PDB file of all heavy atoms in Angstrom:
ATOM      1  N   ALA A  23      -2.081 -14.167  24.585  1.00  0.00           N
ATOM      2  CA  ALA A  23      -3.539 -14.324  24.478  1.00  0.00           C
ATOM      3  C   ALA A  23      -4.132 -13.968  25.874  1.00  0.00           C
ATOM      4  O   ALA A  23      -3.628 -14.332  26.873  1.00  0.00           O
ATOM      5  CB  ALA A  23      -3.816 -15.673  24.129  1.00  0.00           C
ATOM      6  N   GLY A  24      -5.247 -13.316  25.833  1.00  0.00           N
ATOM      7  CA  GLY A  24      -5.927 -12.904  27.078  1.00  0.00           C
ATOM      8  C   GLY A  24      -5.543 -11.470  27.444  1.00  0.00           C
ATOM      9  O   GLY A  24      -6.194 -10.888  28.350  1.00  0.00           O
ATOM     10  N   GLY A  25      -4.535 -10.902  26.920  1.00  0.00           N
ATOM     11  CA  GLY A  25      -3.962  -9.588  27.270  1.00  0.00           C
ATOM     12  C   GLY A  25      -4.735  -8.459  26.698  1.00  0.00           C
ATOM     13  O   GLY A  25      -5.672  -8.672  25.887  1.00  0.00           O
ATOM     14  N   SER A  26      -4.312  -7.272  26.777  1.00  0.00           N
ATOM     15  CA  SER A  26      -4.925  -6.114  26.354  1.00  0.00           C
ATOM     16  C   SER A  26      -3.941  -5.227  25.738  1.00  0.00           C
ATOM     17  O   SER A  26      -2.678  -5.261  25.976  1.00  0.00           O
ATOM     18  CB  SER A  26      -5.594  -5.316  27.545  1.00  0.00           C
ATOM     19  OG  SER A  26      -6.595  -6.087  28.081  1.00  0.00           O
ATOM     20  N   LEU A  27      -4.355  -4.408  24.704  1.00  0.00           N
ATOM     21  CA  LEU A  27      -3.687  -3.281  24.107  1.00  0.00           C
ATOM     22  C   LEU A  27      -4.635  -2.166  23.859  1.00  0.00           C
ATOM     23  O   LEU A  27      -5.889  -2.434  23.596  1.00  0.00           O
ATOM     24  CB  LEU A  27      -3.038  -3.723  22.702  1.00  0.00           C
ATOM     25  CG  LEU A  27      -1.819  -4.614  22.769  1.00  0.00           C
ATOM     26  CD1 LEU A  27      -1.468  -5.035  21.313  1.00  0.00           C
ATOM     27  CD2 LEU A  27      -0.617  -3.878  23.435  1.00  0.00           C
ATOM     28  N   ARG A  28      -4.083  -1.013  23.856  1.00  0.00           N
ATOM     29  CA  ARG A  28      -4.866   0.192  23.398  1.00  0.00           C
ATOM     30  C   ARG A  28      -4.220   0.932  22.186  1.00  0.00           C
ATOM     31  O   ARG A  28      -3.110   1.351  22.302  1.00  0.00           O
ATOM     32  CB  ARG A  28      -5.134   1.163  24.533  1.00  0.00           C
ATOM     33  CG  ARG A  28      -6.107   2.234  24.102  1.00  0.00           C
ATOM     34  CD  ARG A  28      -6.496   3.265  25.221  1.00  0.00           C
ATOM     35  NE  ARG A  28      -5.494   4.305  25.329  1.00  0.00           N
ATOM     36  CZ  ARG A  28      -5.841   5.523  25.799  1.00  0.00           C
ATOM     37  NH1 ARG A  28      -7.055   5.767  26.201  1.00  0.00           N
ATOM     38  NH2 ARG A  28      -4.937   6.459  25.926  1.00  0.00           N
ATOM     39  N   LEU A  29      -4.940   0.850  21.133  1.00  0.00           N
ATOM     40  CA  LEU A  29      -4.389   1.499  19.930  1.00  0.00           C
ATOM     41  C   LEU A  29      -4.994   2.939  19.904  1.00  0.00           C
ATOM     42  O   LEU A  29      -6.063   3.286  20.285  1.00  0.00           O
ATOM     43  CB  LEU A  29      -4.890   0.847  18.628  1.00  0.00           C
ATOM     44  CG  LEU A  29      -4.561  -0.708  18.419  1.00  0.00           C
ATOM     45  CD1 LEU A  29      -5.096  -1.145  17.125  1.00  0.00           C
ATOM     46  CD2 LEU A  29      -3.146  -0.952  18.702  1.00  0.00           C
ATOM     47  N   SER A  30      -4.078   3.844  19.317  1.00  0.00           N
ATOM     48  CA  SER A  30      -4.402   5.231  19.206  1.00  0.00           C
ATOM     49  C   SER A  30      -4.272   5.634  17.778  1.00  0.00           C
ATOM     50  O   SER A  30      -3.382   5.062  17.065  1.00  0.00           O
ATOM     51  CB  SER A  30      -3.563   6.153  20.100  1.00  0.00           C
ATOM     52  OG  SER A  30      -3.743   5.854  21.507  1.00  0.00           O
ATOM     53  N   CYS A  31      -5.009   6.586  17.303  1.00  0.00           N
ATOM     54  CA  CYS A  31      -4.960   7.124  16.015  1.00  0.00           C
ATOM     55  C   CYS A  31      -5.044   8.600  16.071  1.00  0.00           C
ATOM     56  O   CYS A  31      -6.093   9.226  16.397  1.00  0.00           O
ATOM     57  CB  CYS A  31      -5.992   6.570  15.058  1.00  0.00           C
ATOM     58  SG  CYS A  31      -6.003   7.279  13.418  1.00  0.00           S
ATOM     59  N   ALA A  32      -3.946   9.364  15.858  1.00  0.00           N
ATOM     60  CA  ALA A  32      -3.847  10.750  15.877  1.00  0.00           C
ATOM     61  C   ALA A  32      -4.184  11.269  14.543  1.00  0.00           C
ATOM     62  O   ALA A  32      -3.560  10.868  13.544  1.00  0.00           O
ATOM     63  CB  ALA A  32      -2.509  11.197  16.409  1.00  0.00           C
ATOM     64  N   VAL A  33      -5.020  12.262  14.455  1.00  0.00           N
ATOM     65  CA  VAL A  33      -5.442  12.854  13.198  1.00  0.00           C
ATOM     66  C   VAL A  33      -4.996  14.268  13.138  1.00  0.00           C
ATOM     67  O   VAL A  33      -5.276  15.052  14.079  1.00  0.00           O
ATOM     68  CB  VAL A  33      -7.000  12.770  13.027  1.00  0.00           C
ATOM     69  CG1 VAL A  33      -7.390  13.302  11.706  1.00  0.00           C
ATOM     70  CG2 VAL A  33      -7.399  11.288  13.177  1.00  0.00           C
ATOM     71  N   SER A  34      -4.382  14.677  12.042  1.00  0.00           N
ATOM     72  CA  SER A  34      -4.013  16.150  11.876  1.00  0.00           C
ATOM     73  C   SER A  34      -4.265  16.584  10.484  1.00  0.00           C
ATOM     74  O   SER A  34      -4.603  15.711   9.622  1.00  0.00           O
ATOM     75  CB  SER A  34      -2.498  16.236  12.237  1.00  0.00           C
ATOM     76  OG  SER A  34      -1.702  15.490  11.241  1.00  0.00           O
ATOM     77  N   GLY A  35      -4.125  17.825  10.281  1.00  0.00           N
ATOM     78  CA  GLY A  35      -4.308  18.451   8.936  1.00  0.00           C
ATOM     79  C   GLY A  35      -5.614  19.212   8.815  1.00  0.00           C
ATOM     80  O   GLY A  35      -5.574  20.219   8.130  1.00  0.00           O
ATOM     81  N   ARG A  36      -6.647  18.681   9.204  1.00  0.00           N
ATOM     82  CA  ARG A  36      -7.997  19.324   9.025  1.00  0.00           C
ATOM     83  C   ARG A  36      -8.819  18.977  10.162  1.00  0.00           C
ATOM     84  O   ARG A  36      -8.525  18.263  11.078  1.00  0.00           O
ATOM     85  CB  ARG A  36      -8.608  18.938   7.682  1.00  0.00           C
ATOM     86  CG  ARG A  36      -7.986  19.481   6.543  1.00  0.00           C
ATOM     87  CD  ARG A  36      -8.836  19.572   5.327  1.00  0.00           C
ATOM     88  NE  ARG A  36      -8.146  20.222   4.143  1.00  0.00           N
ATOM     89  CZ  ARG A  36      -8.629  20.290   2.998  1.00  0.00           C
ATOM     90  NH1 ARG A  36      -9.878  19.769   2.709  1.00  0.00           N
ATOM     91  NH2 ARG A  36      -8.046  20.789   2.003  1.00  0.00           N
ATOM     92  N   THR A  37     -10.097  19.582  10.206  1.00  0.00           N
ATOM     93  CA  THR A  37     -10.931  19.386  11.320  1.00  0.00           C
ATOM     94  C   THR A  37     -11.213  17.958  11.592  1.00  0.00           C
ATOM     95  O   THR A  37     -11.487  17.187  10.733  1.00  0.00           O
ATOM     96  CB  THR A  37     -12.284  20.056  10.949  1.00  0.00           C
ATOM     97  OG1 THR A  37     -12.042  21.492  10.725  1.00  0.00           O
ATOM     98  CG2 THR A  37     -13.179  20.076  12.188  1.00  0.00           C
ATOM     99  N   PHE A  38     -11.034  17.571  12.885  1.00  0.00           N
ATOM    100  CA  PHE A  38     -11.215  16.110  13.271  1.00  0.00           C
ATOM    101  C   PHE A  38     -12.709  15.845  13.547  1.00  0.00           C
ATOM    102  O   PHE A  38     -13.190  14.839  13.400  1.00  0.00           O
ATOM    103  CB  PHE A  38     -10.289  15.821  14.449  1.00  0.00           C
ATOM    104  CG  PHE A  38     -10.570  14.502  15.078  1.00  0.00           C
ATOM    105  CD1 PHE A  38     -10.192  13.358  14.312  1.00  0.00           C
ATOM    106  CD2 PHE A  38     -11.062  14.382  16.397  1.00  0.00           C
ATOM    107  CE1 PHE A  38     -10.419  12.062  14.847  1.00  0.00           C
ATOM    108  CE2 PHE A  38     -11.232  13.071  16.815  1.00  0.00           C
ATOM    109  CZ  PHE A  38     -10.873  11.978  16.117  1.00  0.00           C
ATOM    110  N   SER A  39     -13.326  16.945  14.126  1.00  0.00           N
ATOM    111  CA  SER A  39     -14.691  16.673  14.769  1.00  0.00           C
ATOM    112  C   SER A  39     -15.739  16.325  13.706  1.00  0.00           C
ATOM    113  O   SER A  39     -16.718  15.729  14.020  1.00  0.00           O
ATOM    114  CB  SER A  39     -15.048  17.892  15.603  1.00  0.00           C
ATOM    115  OG  SER A  39     -15.229  19.029  14.805  1.00  0.00           O
ATOM    116  N   ASN A  40     -15.436  16.654  12.397  1.00  0.00           N
ATOM    117  CA  ASN A  40     -16.478  16.252  11.445  1.00  0.00           C
ATOM    118  C   ASN A  40     -16.031  15.059  10.720  1.00  0.00           C
ATOM    119  O   ASN A  40     -16.341  14.861   9.489  1.00  0.00           O
ATOM    120  CB  ASN A  40     -16.789  17.423  10.464  1.00  0.00           C
ATOM    121  CG  ASN A  40     -15.586  17.797   9.531  1.00  0.00           C
ATOM    122  OD1 ASN A  40     -14.531  17.421   9.848  1.00  0.00           O
ATOM    123  ND2 ASN A  40     -15.941  18.304   8.331  1.00  0.00           N
ATOM    124  N   LYS A  41     -15.311  14.161  11.402  1.00  0.00           N
ATOM    125  CA  LYS A  41     -14.895  12.903  10.764  1.00  0.00           C
ATOM    126  C   LYS A  41     -15.452  11.776  11.464  1.00  0.00           C
ATOM    127  O   LYS A  41     -15.258  11.607  12.650  1.00  0.00           O
ATOM    128  CB  LYS A  41     -13.346  12.863  10.883  1.00  0.00           C
ATOM    129  CG  LYS A  41     -12.526  13.905  10.085  1.00  0.00           C
ATOM    130  CD  LYS A  41     -12.633  13.898   8.686  1.00  0.00           C
ATOM    131  CE  LYS A  41     -11.633  14.961   8.057  1.00  0.00           C
ATOM    132  NZ  LYS A  41     -12.140  16.280   8.179  1.00  0.00           N
ATOM    133  N   ALA A  42     -16.207  10.933  10.819  1.00  0.00           N
ATOM    134  CA  ALA A  42     -16.472   9.593  11.277  1.00  0.00           C
ATOM    135  C   ALA A  42     -15.277   8.783  11.245  1.00  0.00           C
ATOM    136  O   ALA A  42     -14.548   8.901  10.221  1.00  0.00           O
ATOM    137  CB  ALA A  42     -17.669   8.973  10.566  1.00  0.00           C
ATOM    138  N   MET A  43     -15.068   7.949  12.198  1.00  0.00           N
ATOM    139  CA  MET A  43     -13.767   7.143  12.208  1.00  0.00           C
ATOM    140  C   MET A  43     -14.062   5.647  12.281  1.00  0.00           C
ATOM    141  O   MET A  43     -15.067   5.295  12.777  1.00  0.00           O
ATOM    142  CB  MET A  43     -13.012   7.542  13.384  1.00  0.00           C
ATOM    143  CG  MET A  43     -12.555   9.009  13.532  1.00  0.00           C
ATOM    144  SD  MET A  43     -11.536   9.551  12.168  1.00  0.00           S
ATOM    145  CE  MET A  43     -10.115   8.600  12.570  1.00  0.00           C
ATOM    146  N   GLY A  44     -13.106   4.855  11.741  1.00  0.00           N
ATOM    147  CA  GLY A  44     -13.222   3.463  11.807  1.00  0.00           C
ATOM    148  C   GLY A  44     -11.817   2.813  12.008  1.00  0.00           C
ATOM    149  O   GLY A  44     -10.854   3.382  11.732  1.00  0.00           O
ATOM    150  N   TRP A  45     -11.901   1.583  12.500  1.00  0.00           N
ATOM    151  CA  TRP A  45     -10.726   0.717  12.655  1.00  0.00           C
ATOM    152  C   TRP A  45     -11.054  -0.504  11.684  1.00  0.00           C
ATOM    153  O   TRP A  45     -12.024  -1.142  11.766  1.00  0.00           O
ATOM    154  CB  TRP A  45     -10.507   0.318  14.068  1.00  0.00           C
ATOM    155  CG  TRP A  45      -9.882   1.362  14.929  1.00  0.00           C
ATOM    156  CD1 TRP A  45     -10.550   2.115  15.856  1.00  0.00           C
ATOM    157  CD2 TRP A  45      -8.542   1.631  15.087  1.00  0.00           C
ATOM    158  NE1 TRP A  45      -9.681   3.001  16.430  1.00  0.00           N
ATOM    159  CE2 TRP A  45      -8.405   2.719  15.978  1.00  0.00           C
ATOM    160  CE3 TRP A  45      -7.346   1.259  14.439  1.00  0.00           C
ATOM    161  CZ2 TRP A  45      -7.169   3.337  16.365  1.00  0.00           C
ATOM    162  CZ3 TRP A  45      -6.116   1.837  14.798  1.00  0.00           C
ATOM    163  CH2 TRP A  45      -6.031   2.806  15.770  1.00  0.00           C
ATOM    164  N   PHE A  46      -9.971  -0.893  11.002  1.00  0.00           N
ATOM    165  CA  PHE A  46      -9.957  -2.066  10.122  1.00  0.00           C
ATOM    166  C   PHE A  46      -8.678  -2.829  10.468  1.00  0.00           C
ATOM    167  O   PHE A  46      -7.758  -2.253  10.998  1.00  0.00           O
ATOM    168  CB  PHE A  46     -10.004  -1.674   8.706  1.00  0.00           C
ATOM    169  CG  PHE A  46     -11.236  -1.067   8.275  1.00  0.00           C
ATOM    170  CD1 PHE A  46     -11.570   0.293   8.532  1.00  0.00           C
ATOM    171  CD2 PHE A  46     -12.159  -1.817   7.442  1.00  0.00           C
ATOM    172  CE1 PHE A  46     -12.716   0.780   8.146  1.00  0.00           C
ATOM    173  CE2 PHE A  46     -13.339  -1.172   7.064  1.00  0.00           C
ATOM    174  CZ  PHE A  46     -13.655   0.124   7.394  1.00  0.00           C
ATOM    175  N   ARG A  47      -8.718  -4.074  10.127  1.00  0.00           N
ATOM    176  CA  ARG A  47      -7.521  -4.927  10.309  1.00  0.00           C
ATOM    177  C   ARG A  47      -7.261  -5.804   9.027  1.00  0.00           C
ATOM    178  O   ARG A  47      -8.325  -6.109   8.455  1.00  0.00           O
ATOM    179  CB  ARG A  47      -7.509  -5.674  11.567  1.00  0.00           C
ATOM    180  CG  ARG A  47      -8.711  -6.749  11.659  1.00  0.00           C
ATOM    181  CD  ARG A  47      -8.697  -7.400  13.013  1.00  0.00           C
ATOM    182  NE  ARG A  47      -9.678  -8.441  13.056  1.00  0.00           N
ATOM    183  CZ  ARG A  47     -10.059  -9.103  14.218  1.00  0.00           C
ATOM    184  NH1 ARG A  47      -9.413  -8.709  15.390  1.00  0.00           N
ATOM    185  NH2 ARG A  47     -10.900 -10.044  14.250  1.00  0.00           N
ATOM    186  N   GLN A  48      -6.012  -6.203   8.810  1.00  0.00           N
ATOM    187  CA  GLN A  48      -5.710  -6.994   7.761  1.00  0.00           C
ATOM    188  C   GLN A  48      -4.661  -8.059   8.189  1.00  0.00           C
ATOM    189  O   GLN A  48      -3.515  -7.735   8.581  1.00  0.00           O
ATOM    190  CB  GLN A  48      -5.170  -6.229   6.511  1.00  0.00           C
ATOM    191  CG  GLN A  48      -4.946  -6.990   5.319  1.00  0.00           C
ATOM    192  CD  GLN A  48      -4.748  -6.154   4.114  1.00  0.00           C
ATOM    193  OE1 GLN A  48      -4.482  -4.902   4.166  1.00  0.00           O
ATOM    194  NE2 GLN A  48      -4.865  -6.669   2.931  1.00  0.00           N
ATOM    195  N   ALA A  49      -5.072  -9.272   8.238  1.00  0.00           N
ATOM    196  CA  ALA A  49      -4.167 -10.411   8.553  1.00  0.00           C
ATOM    197  C   ALA A  49      -3.447 -10.858   7.232  1.00  0.00           C
ATOM    198  O   ALA A  49      -3.927 -10.621   6.169  1.00  0.00           O
ATOM    199  CB  ALA A  49      -4.969 -11.554   9.116  1.00  0.00           C
ATOM    200  N   PRO A  50      -2.303 -11.477   7.413  1.00  0.00           N
ATOM    201  CA  PRO A  50      -1.570 -11.962   6.206  1.00  0.00           C
ATOM    202  C   PRO A  50      -2.431 -12.775   5.337  1.00  0.00           C
ATOM    203  O   PRO A  50      -2.956 -13.735   5.800  1.00  0.00           O
ATOM    204  CB  PRO A  50      -0.404 -12.702   6.815  1.00  0.00           C
ATOM    205  CG  PRO A  50      -0.166 -12.101   8.206  1.00  0.00           C
ATOM    206  CD  PRO A  50      -1.620 -11.754   8.582  1.00  0.00           C
ATOM    207  N   GLY A  51      -2.372 -12.478   4.056  1.00  0.00           N
ATOM    208  CA  GLY A  51      -3.171 -13.251   3.085  1.00  0.00           C
ATOM    209  C   GLY A  51      -4.692 -13.010   3.021  1.00  0.00           C
ATOM    210  O   GLY A  51      -5.312 -13.722   2.314  1.00  0.00           O
ATOM    211  N   LYS A  52      -5.089 -12.104   3.839  1.00  0.00           N
ATOM    212  CA  LYS A  52      -6.550 -11.808   3.880  1.00  0.00           C
ATOM    213  C   LYS A  52      -6.847 -10.437   3.487  1.00  0.00           C
ATOM    214  O   LYS A  52      -6.056  -9.516   3.527  1.00  0.00           O
ATOM    215  CB  LYS A  52      -7.059 -12.073   5.305  1.00  0.00           C
ATOM    216  CG  LYS A  52      -6.939 -13.576   5.693  1.00  0.00           C
ATOM    217  CD  LYS A  52      -7.710 -13.799   6.987  1.00  0.00           C
ATOM    218  CE  LYS A  52      -7.651 -15.290   7.413  1.00  0.00           C
ATOM    219  NZ  LYS A  52      -8.350 -15.548   8.635  1.00  0.00           N
ATOM    220  N   GLU A  53      -8.214 -10.179   3.182  1.00  0.00           N
ATOM    221  CA  GLU A  53      -8.622  -8.799   2.940  1.00  0.00           C
ATOM    222  C   GLU A  53      -8.694  -7.981   4.137  1.00  0.00           C
ATOM    223  O   GLU A  53      -8.819  -8.491   5.274  1.00  0.00           O
ATOM    224  CB  GLU A  53     -10.074  -8.979   2.359  1.00  0.00           C
ATOM    225  CG  GLU A  53     -10.210  -9.675   1.020  1.00  0.00           C
ATOM    226  CD  GLU A  53      -9.769  -8.772  -0.179  1.00  0.00           C
ATOM    227  OE1 GLU A  53     -10.062  -7.587  -0.116  1.00  0.00           O
ATOM    228  OE2 GLU A  53      -9.292  -9.328  -1.113  1.00  0.00           O
ATOM    229  N   ARG A  54      -8.617  -6.690   3.943  1.00  0.00           N
ATOM    230  CA  ARG A  54      -8.777  -5.766   5.055  1.00  0.00           C
ATOM    231  C   ARG A  54     -10.261  -5.865   5.432  1.00  0.00           C
ATOM    232  O   ARG A  54     -11.148  -5.652   4.638  1.00  0.00           O
ATOM    233  CB  ARG A  54      -8.386  -4.295   4.522  1.00  0.00           C
ATOM    234  CG  ARG A  54      -8.341  -3.345   5.746  1.00  0.00           C
ATOM    235  CD  ARG A  54      -7.752  -1.951   5.245  1.00  0.00           C
ATOM    236  NE  ARG A  54      -6.365  -2.186   4.747  1.00  0.00           N
ATOM    237  CZ  ARG A  54      -5.543  -1.110   4.403  1.00  0.00           C
ATOM    238  NH1 ARG A  54      -5.956   0.080   4.577  1.00  0.00           N
ATOM    239  NH2 ARG A  54      -4.326  -1.353   4.007  1.00  0.00           N
ATOM    240  N   ALA A  55     -10.447  -5.962   6.851  1.00  0.00           N
ATOM    241  CA  ALA A  55     -11.733  -6.182   7.354  1.00  0.00           C
ATOM    242  C   ALA A  55     -12.148  -5.162   8.366  1.00  0.00           C
ATOM    243  O   ALA A  55     -11.254  -4.669   9.234  1.00  0.00           O
ATOM    244  CB  ALA A  55     -11.768  -7.650   7.899  1.00  0.00           C
ATOM    245  N   PHE A  56     -13.474  -4.821   8.419  1.00  0.00           N
ATOM    246  CA  PHE A  56     -13.940  -3.930   9.366  1.00  0.00           C
ATOM    247  C   PHE A  56     -13.802  -4.473  10.773  1.00  0.00           C
ATOM    248  O   PHE A  56     -14.043  -5.599  11.138  1.00  0.00           O
ATOM    249  CB  PHE A  56     -15.398  -3.726   9.076  1.00  0.00           C
ATOM    250  CG  PHE A  56     -16.171  -2.927  10.108  1.00  0.00           C
ATOM    251  CD1 PHE A  56     -16.000  -1.555  10.200  1.00  0.00           C
ATOM    252  CD2 PHE A  56     -17.075  -3.605  11.007  1.00  0.00           C
ATOM    253  CE1 PHE A  56     -16.637  -0.800  11.214  1.00  0.00           C
ATOM    254  CE2 PHE A  56     -17.684  -2.890  11.995  1.00  0.00           C
ATOM    255  CZ  PHE A  56     -17.587  -1.491  12.061  1.00  0.00           C
ATOM    256  N   VAL A  57     -13.550  -3.604  11.743  1.00  0.00           N
ATOM    257  CA  VAL A  57     -13.414  -3.913  13.158  1.00  0.00           C
ATOM    258  C   VAL A  57     -14.390  -3.111  13.973  1.00  0.00           C
ATOM    259  O   VAL A  57     -15.179  -3.721  14.765  1.00  0.00           O
ATOM    260  CB  VAL A  57     -11.976  -3.710  13.743  1.00  0.00           C
ATOM    261  CG1 VAL A  57     -11.936  -3.985  15.233  1.00  0.00           C
ATOM    262  CG2 VAL A  57     -11.016  -4.569  13.031  1.00  0.00           C
ATOM    263  N   ALA A  58     -14.318  -1.844  13.857  1.00  0.00           N
ATOM    264  CA  ALA A  58     -15.147  -0.895  14.711  1.00  0.00           C
ATOM    265  C   ALA A  58     -15.282   0.444  14.072  1.00  0.00           C
ATOM    266  O   ALA A  58     -14.455   0.818  13.282  1.00  0.00           O
ATOM    267  CB  ALA A  58     -14.612  -0.807  16.106  1.00  0.00           C
TER     268      ALA A  58
END
């Protein structure tokens, strides 16, 4: 607690620049929720 992490998401296959992106998270027993 109090620390930091940086997540990365590499996208391949088709044009990346016309993609809006999002991060979601899912805790055990919970629905997948919007983050950013």
Side-chain angles (χ1 to χ4, degrees):
S26 298
L27 284 174
R28 187 173 85 153
L29 306 184
S30 299
C31 174
V33 182
S34 62
R36 286 200 177 174
T37 304
F38 174 67
S39 60
N40 69 336
K41 302 288 188 293
M43 302 296 296
W45 284 97
F46 290 76
R47 67 186 181 186
Q48 188 166 15
K52 294 190 175 181
E53 296 279 327
R54 192 170 297 189
F56 170 77
V57 175

